[in-house]
Amino acid sequence: MSKLSITCLSLLVLTLILPVTNAIACDQDEDCGVGVCIKREKRAQGICYGLEPNQKQKNTLESPREKAIGLMGDPNKMLKEHFPGKRIGKICIVSTDCDNGKDCVHAGFEGRCMEL
């Protein structure tokens, strides 16, 4: 291979690699959004690991229950709408989880003990 073709090939490789490394390079954790900036040397640039750069942190703060409420609705609101005036008790899976005289009523993704 000639020097010219090696130079062209190296320039092509650098052109392909530079945009990717610029997008994931960081100096501190804040540059990564919610990811972590990991460096090999203190003064060198690091690489973002974790979630996508600049992704909003609210996605990681949302609990599984909050996500389920977003998808299927709030079970407490559903039970209040369909059983007005009834007291909503503890979370249950089957009626045997409830005290005597109460039944497990499922709404959305969870059940609650209620007197019917």
Side-chain angles (χ1 to χ4, degrees):
M1 251 185 178
S2 70
K3 272 189 162 183
L4 182 62
S5 59
I6 292 173
T7 306
C8 288
L9 184 60
S10 62
L11 285 174
L12 177 66
V13 170
L14 284 175
T15 307
L16 293 174
I17 293 175
L18 281 178
V20 174
T21 55
N22 285 341
I24 57 175
C26 59
D27 289 320
Q28 52 191 343
D29 289 343
E30 290 80 31
D31 297 339
C32 298
V34 291
V36 178
C37 183
I38 298 178
K39 298 180 173 186
R40 292 181 74 180
E41 296 178 20
K42 189 173 185 175
R43 293 185 183 179
Q45 281 194 324
I47 297 176
C48 294
Y49 288 95
L51 299 175
E52 292 291 320
N54 300 326
Q55 187 175 357
K56 293 183 181 176
Q57 193 170 2
K58 74 171 198 162
N59 293 339
T60 59
L61 298 177
E62 197 173 20
S63 72
R65 187 172 196 286
E66 290 170 345
K67 288 180 184 177
I69 288 173
L71 290 172
M72 295 182 244
D74 188 1
N76 292 332
K77 286 183 183 178
M78 289 180 201
L79 290 172
K80 286 178 185 176
E81 287 175 10
H82 294 289
F83 301 99
K86 299 286 184 177
R87 202 171 123 235
I88 300 171
K90 66 180 182 178
I91 296 174
C92 60
I93 297 173
V94 293
S95 291
T96 55
D97 293 341
C98 301
D99 298 332
N100 290 336
K102 294 185 179 181
D103 293 316
C104 187
V105 179
H106 286 270
F109 59 92
E110 71 183 4
R112 292 291 187 140
C113 294
M114 295 182 70
E115 284 184 32
L116 298 177

